[in-house]
Amino acid sequence: MDFPRALRERRTSRRLSQLDLATRAGTTQRHLSFIESGRSAPGRAMVVRLAESLDLSLRDRNELLLAAGYAPVYPETPLDGPSLAPVREAIGHVLAGHLPYPALVVDRRGDVVAANAAVDVITEGADPRLVGPGTNAYRLALHPDGLAPRILNFAAWARHIVERTRHLGDLHEELSSYVPEAEVGEQHLGFAVPLELRTPLGELHLMTTVTTFATAVDVTLAELKLEAFLPADAATAEALRAAAGQSPGNW
């Protein structure tokens, strides 16, 4: 994709006018208009400023730089590389600290990087091929051989996962095929849509939170997400605390 088109598409997708983006990036609307029409070639620093002003992901910022003819600025280090050893250690501490509640770390596609032992509670009964490091957490959640048969509010909960995966192409299409067509009901959902899951511990009601490394300047690190589950009621909290002594399985 040529740079003027790439920039214009990213600006319009965020519903920003040329004036809005120019103001954010510290330039003039006239200069931005020239850049988007191809009449002016931006310097590397300007491309970085425009990408930051558009609040693009680090991966998208690198792609915009490449489209403009510049080398990427942000490295993409393998997670198992020596320089990210402190990150792996920090992830381990966070996962352990979240016990007795389930938590896992996924990459940009939802592939599992790490998880704590409590995740076994919610994955028990799923096809072993869908569970464990390197498998896809979103597929596990929606696949008929995964968690889906035990999710009591599957249609409502699954829609939120499908919405989060629109950028994942073929995976999004696969996941969408598992979710039934359903109208959004008028029933009260409370402050968040819970995961209502049937487990050997009984029926669990869980809320999910997503945490990222906010100051990351490495693509790999920026795309990691901590998916943590919290009890939505006292009975769920008590059941998970009671099961905390179980030995780890697939993770």
Side-chain angles (χ1 to χ4, degrees):
M1 183 181 293
D2 63 278
F3 177 76
R5 178 184 169 192
L7 177 62
R8 187 166 55 251
E9 287 187 355
R10 284 161 172 76
R11 176 180 62 78
T12 56
S13 70
R14 283 159 174 74
R15 292 186 171 85
L16 293 174
S17 67
Q18 286 186 341
L19 179 59
D20 292 332
L21 180 56
T23 301
R24 291 186 181 188
T27 187
T28 65
Q29 182 179 0
R30 178 182 175 85
H31 186 204
L32 181 58
S33 176
F34 277 27
I35 291 174
E36 286 195 354
S37 66
R39 296 169 64 187
S40 178
R44 188 170 187 245
M46 174 56 71
V47 176
V48 172
R49 287 214 311 274
L50 289 169
E52 290 175 343
S53 300
L54 287 167
D55 196 26
L56 298 181
S57 69
L58 299 190
R59 183 177 297 276
D60 281 345
R61 295 180 194 188
N62 278 345
E63 290 177 356
L64 200 62
L65 282 161
L66 284 169
Y70 298 108
V73 170
Y74 305 97
E76 186 173 355
T77 309
L79 186 58
D80 58 0
S83 64
L84 291 188
V87 173
R88 297 194 298 274
E89 184 176 358
I91 287 173
H93 287 313
V94 172
L95 291 175
H98 194 68
L99 290 170
Y101 308 135
L104 65 160
V105 175
V106 299
D107 64 15
R108 67 187 294 264
R109 284 186 52 82
D111 292 340
V112 178
V113 171
N116 66 16
V119 171
D120 287 342
V121 172
I122 61 177
T123 61
E124 186 171 348
D127 187 326
R129 293 173 296 180
L130 298 173
V131 180
T135 58
N136 189 271
Y138 305 140
R139 181 178 288 115
L140 169 66
L142 302 187
H143 196 282
D145 296 328
L147 304 187
R150 295 187 289 111
I151 298 176
L152 303 177
N153 60 334
F154 181 75
W157 192 78
R159 280 199 301 272
H160 293 271
I161 292 184
V162 170
E163 287 298 317
R164 289 173 53 190
T165 61
R166 288 191 175 277
H167 64 291
L168 296 180
D170 291 345
L171 180 60
H172 174 73
E173 291 185 18
E174 176 193 341
L175 299 178
S176 298
S177 71
Y178 301 144
V179 181
E181 292 285 341
E183 295 288 334
V184 178
E186 298 180 355
Q187 69 272 23
H188 177 60
L189 295 176
F191 53 84
V193 176
L195 169 62
E196 299 176 358
L197 186 67
R198 188 170 55 249
T199 77
L201 303 178
E203 187 175 312
L204 302 182
H205 293 188
L206 297 159
M207 299 179 293
T208 58
T209 64
V210 178
T211 305
T212 60
F213 288 87
T215 58
V217 291
D218 184 282
V219 174
T220 300
L221 184 57
E223 292 178 342
L224 293 180
K225 295 182 180 66
L226 171 69
E227 305 260 356
F229 295 83
L230 294 166
D233 55 37
T236 298
E238 179 57 33
L240 290 171
R241 284 195 293 266
Q246 294 181 357
S247 60
N250 295 303
W251 309 95

